[in-house]
């Protein structure tokens, strides 16, 4: 902690001589504003945390230490120096609560502030994004970013073009735990099918296995010599001439649809549509189609006439969304154990702020049991004992099912309890806030009610004395978590601001994580019980190894995340360029000249017919719409590619490298086709009597969703996540985050 600066802030605050915009002066004004408006005198620790935030660091500060206020200092400093700040909250409830709670300070400071939640009207959003400080979840902000990508008019766009600073609350949640979850926007897009693929499909009716080869690795179908001869006879055209190329692509797609794609394995037919089945999850993937001609060929196979297709139009993983901000700061109760990840993936250094009062919570060592049944007995006994003494107890479970079954068991014993299931943030906040009441028994999943303070003796602290004498809040964690951070989060629920409290932490030899990471193999036989043990296991070696399982799990998930990035960075780069170009076309900062160059004669005619200026504007809009199509195709192709890319490993090659090369090639080739497609559009435009008759392609309906219910998929394979850069070098240097660049370079080795 920088004691000198903190003292200076406080003396400036006292003297009132603080009108400038330096950190010390603004902090001094905030200090006074907090006292005046909320009656809170900020602690030195909070000032230290605020200084770290404004320097773009990740602050580790225990639960209940007042992080909400720290963010206000840093946000005001940035705002009063001309920047805009998004405070990314854990959920909608906290966005509203923190904004309304802190608003008096912002008002006093002359800084405009607002919040956006899921229910916030789109019409209001533009104005809210203009506020100097905005409270919003990363999810809502990310969805707005994606929605802008499918808008056909800048007037409908709400999201700011430049993102300044993000202060991420509960940072480990967004930047690590949920980092890989993609936000997705999908839309129903009209399909203009001229029926030619269906025609081709009919004509290949008597082709057979001898007519094609299938390459498992590239997933391409090729004609054999016999097949090529047959095709030439059937279609009366040389398949390998330049004019034959589009036909050849159709023929190969039809052969593939006919012989390789299997109904109910690769796809299902539902409601007259082909829905893809995800290879790993076995579920149908909403808004995904086969790439290129293959989808139309599959439709032809089933005689389907399609007028529109649901397609994924854009996606972005939370971690890449966070990286869009030129400056990131964060705060959380638990950062330390993920220090390497924060530093490597986000160039965030951690600052550990001591608690204002010494922590009086007792963290009991791991309690290990032979199996789930023994463990459950111990947990129920611990909860019952606390309930008996009217000591508040909070049980942290791993899943909603576990919560429900535990509650049932407790109720069976006559113990009243409340179950939290992470469905309604607001209701949940209310329940968590009361979890410290005398006699309260609360059962919740890991994350439920995160960010809400548990006050001893109830929200008004009426029975604080009783509860304190009973030992304060007791936290029971029912299993070993994937990472020690999650365990610490749970423990941190008790013992806030110097309260007494206790945390106990249970595991069983047959817990999923113990089995998966094979605890048994980590110890020599004599330490591992060969038959059922009742009650706690006391073997020190086994206990130590059981704790190590968590660290192994952390290491694995970290490696997975790094590995995943090798696949996702390329899509980020491509998306950034595509999004930026599209936006520039619509706001007029960039003008397309494709029509002039590709079809000068038609352009001249059209310009005479419709007027040059109107035609130029139309050209930009048409190209913007085409970029949407282009991007849909890209997403389909890369998703498809990822499913097959592991096959390259068989051939002894590096799948990540192969994947990147294939994506780049696809992107370049598809981009090269755009001028031709634009020329086709100009012909359509020319057929119109008036420009206003021409309908620029747009989705009839769009919908956004999170892919988080597909968690397993991300473990099984890399999924395309979606951010920015034509000039990556330059941008990153501007941000002063060079390490980042170095890291991504090293990911791809020499390339
Ligand atoms: P965190 O986000 O760190 O868990 P909160 O910002 O939710 O903590 O604050 C926890 C509680 O501490 C709130 O009730 C808040 O009013 C109180 N608080 C914050 N700062 C101070 C302070 N300087 N003095 C007294 N109470 C404070
Ligand atoms: Mg908080």
């Amino acid at each position: 902690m920088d004691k000198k600066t903190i003292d200076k802030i406080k003396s400036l605050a006292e003297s009132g001589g603080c009108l400038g915009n330096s950190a010390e002066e603004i902090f001094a004004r905030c200090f006074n504003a907090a006292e005046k408006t909320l009656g809170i005198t900020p602690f030195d620790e909070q000032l230290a945390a605020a200084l770290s935030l404004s320097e773009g660091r990740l602050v580790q500060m225990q639960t209940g230490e007042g992080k909400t206020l720290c963010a206000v200092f840093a946000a005001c400093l940035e705002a009063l120096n001309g920047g805009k700040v998004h405070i990314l909250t854990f959920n909608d409830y906290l966005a509203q609560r923190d904004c309304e709670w802190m608003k008096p300070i912002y008002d006093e400071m002359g800084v405009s502030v607002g919040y956006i939640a899921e229910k916030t009207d789109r019409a209001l959003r533009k104005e809210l994004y203009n506020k100097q400080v905005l409270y919003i979840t990363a999810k809502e902000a990310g969805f707005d970013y994606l929605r802008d990508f499918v808008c056909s008019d800048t007037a409908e766009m709400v999201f700011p073009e430049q993102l300044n600073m993000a202060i991420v609350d509960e940072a480990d949640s967004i930047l690590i735990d949920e980092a890989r979850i993609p936000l997705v926007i999908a839309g129903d897009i009209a399909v203009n099918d001229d029926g030619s693929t269906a025609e081709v499909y009919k004509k290949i009716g008597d082709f057979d296995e001898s007519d094609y080869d299938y390459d498992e690795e590239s997933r391409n179908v090729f004609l054999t010599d016999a097949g090529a001869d047959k095709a030439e006879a059937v279609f009366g055209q040389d398949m390998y001439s330049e004019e034959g190329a589009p036909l050849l692509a159709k023929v190969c797609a039809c052969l593939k649809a006919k012989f390789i794609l299997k109904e109910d394995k690769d796809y299902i037919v539902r409601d007259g549509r082909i829905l893809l089945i995800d290879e790993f999850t076995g579920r149908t993937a909403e808004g995904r189609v086969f790439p290129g001609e293959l989808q139309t060929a599959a439709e032809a196979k089933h005689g389907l006439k399609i007028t529109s297709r649901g397609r994924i139009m854009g996606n972005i993983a939370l971690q890449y969304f966070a990286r869009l901000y030129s400056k990131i700061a964060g705060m959380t109760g638990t950062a330390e154990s993920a220090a390497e990840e924060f530093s490597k993936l986000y160039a965030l250094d951690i600052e550990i702020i001591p608690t204002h009062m010494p922590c009086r919570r007792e963290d009991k060592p791991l309690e290990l049991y032979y199996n789930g049944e023994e463990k459950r007995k111990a947990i129920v006994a611990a909860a019952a004992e606390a309930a008996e003494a009217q000591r508040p107890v909070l049980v942290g479970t791993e899943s909603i099912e576990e919560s429900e079954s535990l509650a049932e068991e407790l109720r069976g014993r006559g113990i009243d309890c409340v179950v939290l299931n992470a469905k309604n943030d607001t209701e949940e906040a209310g329940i968590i806030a009361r979890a410290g009441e005398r006699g309260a028994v609360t059962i919740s999943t890991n994350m439920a009610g995160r960010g809400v303070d548990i006050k001893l003796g109830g929200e008004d602290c009426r029975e604080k004395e009783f509860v304190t004498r009973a030992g304060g809040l007791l936290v029971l964690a029912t299993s070993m978590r994937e990472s020690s951070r999650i365990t610490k989060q749970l423990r941190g629920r008790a013992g806030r601001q110097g309260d007494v409290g206790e945390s106990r932490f249970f595991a069983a030899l047959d817990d999923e994580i113990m089995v998966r990471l094979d605890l048994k193999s980590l110890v020599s036989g004599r330490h591992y019980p060969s038959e059922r043990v009742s009650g706690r296991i006391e073997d020190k070696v086994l206990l130590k190894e059981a704790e190590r399982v968590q660290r192994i799990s952390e290491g694995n998930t970290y490696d997975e995340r790094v590995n995943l990035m090798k696949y996702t960075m390329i899509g980020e780069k491509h998306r950034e360029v595509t999004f930026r170009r599209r936006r520039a076309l619509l706001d007029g900062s960039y003008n397309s000249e494709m029509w002039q160059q590709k079809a000068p004669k038609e352009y001249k005619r059209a310009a005479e017919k419709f007027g040059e200026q109107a035609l130029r504007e139309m050209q930009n809009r048409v190209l913007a719409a085409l970029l949407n199509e282009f991007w849909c195709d890209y997403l389909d192709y890369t998703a498809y590619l990822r499913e097959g890319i592991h096959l390259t490993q068989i051939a002894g090659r590096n799948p990540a490298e192969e994947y990147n090369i294939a994506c780049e090639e696809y992107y370049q080739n598809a981009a090269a086709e755009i001028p031709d497609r634009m020329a086709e559009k100009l012909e359509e435009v020319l057929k119109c009597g008036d420009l206003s008759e021409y309908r620029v392609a747009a989705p009839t309906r769009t919908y956004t969703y999170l892919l988080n219910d597909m968690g397993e998929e991300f473990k099984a394979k890399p999924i395309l996540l979606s951010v920015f850069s034509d000039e990556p070098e330059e941008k990153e240097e501007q941000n002063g985050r060079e390490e980042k660049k170095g890291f991504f370079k090293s990911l791809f080795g020499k390339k």
Side-chain angles (χ1 to χ4, degrees):
M1 278 205 314
D2 181 358
K3 192 90 187 82
K4 230 175 84 197
T5 313
I6 291 170
D7 287 341
K8 188 166 170 214
I9 293 166
K10 291 204 289 192
S11 81
L12 278 173
E14 203 170 338
S15 67
C18 46
L19 295 172
N21 276 355
S22 71
E24 286 93 344
E25 288 161 314
I26 286 174
F27 278 24
R29 277 182 351 250
C30 270
F31 188 99
N32 288 340
E35 276 194 325
K36 180 178 159 193
T37 60
L38 300 183
I40 299 179
T41 305
F43 302 132
D44 288 4
E45 290 78 12
Q46 286 173 306
L47 295 175
L51 282 166
S52 288
L53 287 176
S54 48
E55 281 155 17
R57 281 200 286 276
L58 180 71
V59 171
Q60 171 171 300
M61 200 175 183
Q62 296 307 312
T63 309
E65 291 288 303
K67 290 186 283 292
T68 319
L69 180 61
C70 304
V72 179
F73 281 75
C76 283
L77 175 60
E78 186 77 13
L80 292 172
N81 283 294
K84 281 212 180 115
V85 185
H86 289 177
I87 299 182
L88 301 177
T89 60
F90 182 68
N91 59 30
D92 278 353
Y93 164 78
L94 292 170
Q96 177 171 2
R97 182 200 73 174
D98 291 356
C99 172
E100 288 172 353
W101 181 13
M102 295 293 142
K103 191 169 184 306
I105 306 184
Y106 289 108
D107 288 348
E108 186 74 14
M109 296 293 291
V111 171
S112 61
V113 63
Y115 74 89
I116 288 179
E118 190 180 342
K119 60 180 193 300
T120 307
D121 201 33
R122 199 159 159 80
L124 291 175
R125 292 193 181 214
K126 196 167 201 146
E127 190 191 317
L128 287 163
Y129 277 113
N130 279 327
K131 300 279 184 199
Q132 289 166 287
V133 178
L134 182 68
Y135 287 82
I136 184 167
T137 61
K139 177 180 136 216
E140 272 313 300
F143 280 149
D144 279 336
Y145 170 71
L146 291 176
R147 281 186 201 109
D148 277 4
F149 180 64
V150 303
C151 281
S152 43
D153 197 325
T154 43
E156 295 164 24
M157 292 186 175
V158 299
F159 204 69
E161 193 174 357
Q162 293 291 338
L163 289 175
N164 273 162
M165 182 181 191
I167 302 178
V168 189
D169 196 7
E170 308 290 357
D172 54 338
S173 168
I174 294 177
L175 302 183
I176 295 183
D177 299 326
E178 318 233 292
R180 289 173 299 168
I181 295 178
L183 307 171
V184 179
I185 185 159
D188 288 340
I189 299 179
V191 173
N192 292 320
D193 183 3
D194 60 4
S196 59
T197 307
E199 201 65 21
V200 170
Y201 193 87
K202 244 186 248 154
K203 288 190 176 160
I204 59 153
D206 44 281
F207 278 53
D208 60 34
E209 259 89 37
S210 66
D211 296 321
Y212 70 89
D213 273 332
Y214 178 59
D215 177 28
E216 289 259 351
E217 195 184 299
S218 67
R219 310 182 136 207
N220 281 327
V221 162
F222 304 96
L223 288 175
T224 56
D225 289 345
D229 290 345
K230 216 171 194 174
E232 214 173 309
V234 170
F235 295 100
Q237 189 168 20
D238 176 6
M239 287 291 127
Y240 297 106
S241 65
E242 204 174 312
E243 307 82 69
L247 180 60
L248 178 64
K250 282 192 169 121
V251 169
C252 291
C254 288
L255 287 169
K256 189 169 175 187
K258 188 178 167 82
F259 294 107
I260 310 290
L261 294 187
K262 299 271 179 286
E263 187 175 358
D264 293 332
K265 177 178 164 282
D266 297 312
Y267 64 91
I268 57 165
V269 183
R270 191 200 289 157
D271 300 331
R273 288 188 179 195
I274 301 274
L275 296 179
L276 266 63
I277 296 179
D278 189 280
E279 189 178 340
F280 287 91
T281 61
R283 285 190 255 181
T284 53
E286 181 165 8
R288 266 190 54 200
V289 299
F290 290 113
E293 287 292 340
L294 190 54
Q295 179 75 12
T296 324
E299 286 157 1
K301 176 176 174 181
H302 291 274
L304 303 174
K305 291 246 173 336
I306 301 292
T307 52
S308 77
R309 279 190 199 128
R311 304 194 67 182
I312 293 183
M313 301 192 70
N315 58 13
I316 186 165
L318 285 171
Q319 64 180 344
Y320 292 112
F321 177 73
R323 289 165 54 86
L324 291 180
Y325 292 87
S326 48
K327 183 173 174 185
I328 308 181
M331 43 197 200
T332 173
T334 45
E336 225 178 331
S337 53
E340 189 183 352
E341 192 153 354
F342 281 120
S343 144
K344 280 199 167 157
L345 301 190
Y346 300 98
L348 272 170
D349 293 329
I350 291 175
E351 175 110 11
I352 295 168
I353 307 287
T355 53
H356 179 62
M357 310 258 273
C359 179
R360 290 200 288 154
R361 184 184 65 237
E362 235 189 296
D363 289 331
K364 292 284 168 59
L366 176 68
E367 297 173 35
L368 187 63
Y369 293 87
Y370 180 73
N371 61 14
E373 198 185 316
E374 288 290 329
K375 182 179 78 169
R376 173 61 77 90
K377 253 196 264 171
I379 294 166
V380 170
E385 191 193 332
E388 176 70 21
Q390 294 198 311
R391 173 188 193 182
V393 53
L394 176 71
V395 189
T397 67
E398 213 158 20
S399 66
I400 294 174
E401 297 81 66
E402 193 192 351
S403 297
E404 299 285 355
S405 87
L406 191 60
E408 206 172 298
E409 193 165 341
L410 288 172
R411 285 183 190 127
R413 291 176 144 233
I415 300 167
D416 234 6
C417 51
V418 190
V419 179
L420 279 186
N421 55 20
K423 278 196 188 118
N424 179 329
D425 303 340
T426 310
E427 225 171 82
E428 211 161 83
I431 296 173
I432 277 286
R434 292 190 298 276
E437 278 177 5
R438 175 173 177 164
V441 180
T442 314
I443 301 176
S444 110
T445 52
N446 284 336
M447 289 301 145
R450 199 168 170 176
V452 179
D453 213 20
I454 303 182
K455 293 202 168 93
L456 288 191
E459 277 174 282
D460 55 5
C461 303
R462 204 175 335 141
E463 296 201 85
K464 181 161 183 178
E465 217 175 294
F466 175 89
V467 171
T468 303
R469 260 187 286 120
L473 180 68
L474 171 66
V475 170
L476 306 175
T478 64
S479 57
M480 174 91 74
R481 312 295 161 162
E482 295 278 305
S483 80
S484 55
R485 261 184 311 104
I486 310 285
T487 304
K488 283 187 195 135
Q489 276 291 338
L490 266 170
R491 290 196 195 270
R493 286 299 199 165
R496 59 175 278 288
Q497 293 190 358
D499 286 342
V500 291
E502 182 183 342
S503 73
R504 291 172 63 179
F505 163 25
F506 299 82
L509 294 178
D510 62 0
D511 278 351
E512 191 267 334
I513 187 170
M514 300 294 180
V515 175
R516 177 161 45 89
L517 297 171
D518 205 3
L519 170 63
K520 196 170 179 180
S521 71
L522 297 177
V523 291
S524 69
R526 70 196 159 87
H527 291 290
Y528 199 89
S530 52
E531 53 192 46
R532 185 171 178 143
V533 190
S534 66
R536 262 178 95 164
I537 290 175
E538 305 284 354
D539 189 302
K540 294 237 156 46
V541 175
L542 187 56
L543 278 165
K544 204 166 146 237
E545 290 304 305
E547 295 212 34
R548 202 160 70 91
V549 161
Q550 198 171 40
R551 288 197 297 279
I552 297 172
S553 153
E554 277 169 19
N556 290 352
T557 42
Y558 173 65
D559 291 346
E560 260 169 38
R561 282 190 283 264
V562 170
N563 193 37
L564 185 68
M565 288 203 121
K566 294 180 189 171
Y567 286 86
T568 52
M569 282 313 291
I570 184 96
E572 294 315 302
K573 213 181 98 190
H574 289 151
R575 203 205 57 241
E576 186 202 351
V577 177
T578 314
F579 273 41
R580 191 145 39 90
R581 295 228 168 113
R582 188 180 183 280
R583 190 180 179 117
L585 282 165
L586 289 180
D587 71 19
S589 56
Y590 172 76
N591 281 307
S592 170
E593 304 270 321
M594 274 181 201
W595 282 345
Q596 292 89 317
Q597 281 162 15
K598 191 75 200 172
K601 275 204 282 297
E602 289 79 1
Y603 178 80
K604 215 168 145 231
R605 261 172 55 217
E608 277 158 17
K609 183 165 175 185
F610 305 119
E612 169 114 33
Q613 184 54 27
L615 188 66
R616 281 179 164 275
E617 275 167 26
M618 180 56 93
Q619 170 162 231
N620 285 352
R621 289 179 52 216
V622 170
L623 182 54
L626 207 55
L627 284 180
N628 280 126
E629 266 178 57
F630 163 82
W631 193 244
C632 285
D633 290 345
Y634 176 92
L635 292 179
D636 286 334
Y637 174 78
T638 53
Y640 190 69
L641 191 61
R642 274 193 308 280
E643 282 175 3
I645 205 72
H646 60 278
L647 294 169
T648 62
Q649 235 164 351
I650 301 165
R653 297 212 294 276
N654 175 347
E657 201 166 300
E658 296 292 321
Y659 175 78
N660 277 277
I661 293 169
C663 287
E664 183 65 27
E665 261 173 24
Y666 179 88
Y667 188 92
Q668 297 302 343
N669 291 341
E673 281 171 18
I674 289 181
D676 282 331
R677 293 177 66 185
M678 278 297 281
E680 286 165 23
K681 304 270 178 199
L682 181 56
E683 282 169 30
E684 290 169 18
V685 169
L686 265 169
K687 285 184 199 138
C688 298
D690 187 280
L691 258 194
S692 61
E693 280 170 29
Y694 185 75
R695 290 270 151 265
V696 177
T700 47
R701 181 178 77 105
T702 62
Y703 36 99
T704 53
Y705 57 92
L706 278 175
L707 261 181
N708 63 346
D709 60 339
M710 288 195 165
E712 282 307 307
E713 182 181 15
F714 297 101
K715 287 192 184 138
K717 66 169 178 173
I719 255 272
L720 180 81
L721 313 168
S722 303
V723 182
F724 260 66
S725 115
D726 241 345
E727 312 84 16
E729 320 289 297
E730 223 177 274
K731 188 178 173 217
E732 279 161 15
E733 263 150 35
Q734 270 171 19
N735 299 346
R737 285 196 273 151
E738 286 92 333
E739 296 121 281
K740 205 170 76 179
K741 185 178 72 188
F743 176 63
F744 292 119
K745 267 208 183 126
S746 71
L747 272 182
F748 298 112
K750 57 197 179 306
K751 284 187 71 225

